[in-house]
Amino acid sequence: MDENQTEVVTDFVLAGFSETPSIEAGLFVLFLFFYMSTWVGNVLIMVTVASDNYLNSSPMYFLLGNLSFLDLCYSTVTTPKLLADFLDNDKLIRYDQCIVQLFFLHFVGAAEMFLLTVMAYDRYVAICRPLHYTTIMSRGLCCVLVAASWMGGFLHSTVQTILTIHLPFCGPNQVDNFFCDVPPVIKLACADTFVIELLMVSNSGLISTSSFVVLVSSYSTILVKIGSKEGRQKALSTCGSHLMVVTLFFGPCIFIYARPFSTFSVDKMVSVLYNIITPMLNPLIYTLRNKEVKSAMQKLWDRNVLTWKKQET
């Protein structure tokens, strides 16, 4: 392969959902609603945790606030470009923009995987070692674990990006998805990518699958160690929201990354699930099943309404 040929492709075309303007207009409204809901829900959780003394001092809610921030970042990596493409027939993305999007997608996504694992450990300590919970899950340890999650995501994403940018792109340039991700991008390379695919599947697939196994094992251990039926029901109530989030996030990720990079017709829908729907649903899952968060939100609302009424008078 001539070296000059590796620089031929300077733009990629993202394959959207439809070429019919009326359908794309409807999808624009729908996904804009999803994105705005993601912002409102996650910002509300972050503000609630930060403004409530009890929640702010609790390790679980400190981690929940960080999860909401990651959800915002994760959704923002792909959704604004998707919304712009609904209004643009070309759906072009420059090569360098594609690589940047790919990097931050895996950076934030992997960081969220690690943080969910940390949250499972937090629940394990809270339920199985309640007397030592505040000692073990100190604010210092929580900060270290959050920083480690971000660092793990950065290292994972760096590996994925380095393997991608060294591939030559000199032929087809249509990415078979609505954003740049490793599987559809490396399919366009003008080279044998078998070894690269194995390395990437070993990286992304191993992280998503092993994290999911650790999470499920953690929650299973919690249930096994609790002898009473009442205790198990309480544990299920406490961990139920976490299990829902874990299933919604890890299921699609394992489906996409823990298999060879072949394309299935459902890949776009699966990508919508873990890129757009899950970050929007996480605030609902945690607040609807959590009396403490709902109570803190009500106090925050009442306090703001009272302040507004005082200003009016």
Side-chain angles (χ1 to χ4, degrees), residues 270-285:
V270 174
S271 297
V272 168
L273 181 61
Y274 74 87
N275 267 274
I276 298 174
I277 303 300
T278 300
M280 178 188 68
L281 291 180
N282 281 354
L284 293 175
I285 292 172

Side-chain angles (χ1 to χ4, degrees), residues 2-304:
D2 187 272
E3 291 186 359
N4 292 330
Q5 288 182 298
T6 63
E7 300 295 333
V8 169
V9 173
T10 58
D11 298 286
F12 289 112
V13 179
L14 298 174
F17 292 93
S18 173
E19 295 182 358
T20 305
S22 59
I23 294 178
E24 295 232 308
L27 290 174
F28 172 82
V29 174
L30 178 63
F31 282 97
L32 179 62
F33 170 76
F34 289 159
Y35 188 51
M36 296 304 296
S37 300
T38 300
W39 266 89
V40 171
N42 285 289
V43 168
L44 184 57
I45 283 185
M46 289 190 291
V47 172
T48 301
V49 172
S51 62
D52 187 272
N53 291 331
Y54 171 73
L55 297 184
N56 192 35
S57 62
S58 169
M60 182 177 76
Y61 296 111
F62 172 75
L63 297 174
L64 177 59
N66 280 274
L67 178 66
S68 292
F69 180 70
L70 282 171
D71 278 335
L72 275 183
C73 294
Y74 195 56
S75 181
T76 301
V77 171
T78 58
T79 309
K81 174 60 178 169
L82 173 63
L83 293 173
D85 285 343
F86 282 136
L87 306 177
D88 186 0
N89 293 327
D90 293 333
K91 296 179 175 57
L92 290 176
I93 183 170
R94 294 202 315 268
Y95 172 81
D96 57 340
Q97 293 175 336
C98 181
I99 296 300
V100 169
Q101 187 181 60
L102 184 151
F103 173 82
F104 281 103
L105 179 76
H106 283 266
F107 177 20
V108 180
E112 183 159 341
M113 288 185 184
F114 294 134
L115 184 62
L116 286 170
T117 307
V118 171
M119 293 177 73
Y121 174 70
D122 170 78
R123 290 300 82 207
Y124 170 81
V125 176
I127 295 173
C128 296
R129 302 188 64 183
L131 297 179
H132 303 282
Y133 176 60
T134 55
T135 303
I136 296 174
M137 296 302 295
S138 64
R139 178 52 60 93
L141 178 62
C142 288
C143 291
V144 169
L145 293 174
V146 170
S149 298
W150 281 91
M151 181 58 67
F154 177 79
L155 293 175
H156 160 74
S157 184
T158 299
V159 172
Q160 298 290 91
T161 305
I162 289 175
L163 290 175
T164 303
I165 62 177
H166 281 85
L167 292 172
F169 296 96
C170 56
N173 69 335
Q174 180 161 342
V175 178
D176 191 19
N177 213 325
F178 61 90
F179 60 94
C180 286
D181 196 5
V182 172
V185 169
I186 70 168
K187 283 177 57 181
L188 305 177
C190 301
D192 184 2
T193 60
F194 178 75
V195 175
I196 300 295
E197 286 186 29
L198 286 180
L199 291 173
M200 290 182 169
V201 168
S202 299
N203 188 347
S204 296
L206 181 63
I207 288 176
S208 56
T209 304
S210 60
S211 297
F212 182 71
V213 170
V214 169
L215 285 162
V216 173
S217 300
S218 175
Y219 291 126
S220 300
T221 302
I222 290 174
L223 294 177
V224 169
K225 285 198 171 187
I226 297 176
S228 66
K229 182 178 179 181
E230 182 180 348
R232 288 184 180 178
Q233 289 178 342
K234 184 178 180 181
L236 281 173
S237 176
T238 304
C239 298
S241 57
H242 294 265
L243 287 170
M244 291 176 67
V245 171
V246 165
T247 303
L248 285 172
F249 186 73
F250 280 92
C253 287
I254 292 173
F255 176 79
I256 293 292
Y257 298 114
R259 61 176 170 84
F261 291 162
S262 54
T263 302
F264 295 112
S265 58
V266 297
D267 281 359
K268 285 183 187 178
M269 293 300 103
V270 174
S271 297
V272 168
L273 181 61
Y274 74 87
N275 267 274
I276 298 174
I277 303 300
T278 300
M280 178 188 68
L281 291 180
N282 281 354
L284 293 175
I285 292 172
Y286 281 109
T287 54
L288 291 178
R289 296 179 58 86
N290 193 304
K291 294 180 180 178
E292 292 173 337
V293 175
K294 287 192 288 187
S295 175
M297 286 183 175
Q298 184 63 48
K299 291 179 182 177
L300 179 63
W301 172 261
D302 293 341
R303 188 162 61 245
N304 288 334

Side-chain angles (χ1 to χ4, degrees), residues 301-312:
W301 172 261
D302 293 341
R303 188 162 61 245
N304 288 334
V305 169
L306 182 61
T307 303
W308 178 75
K309 286 182 177 179
K310 286 183 178 180
Q311 290 176 347
E312 287 293 311

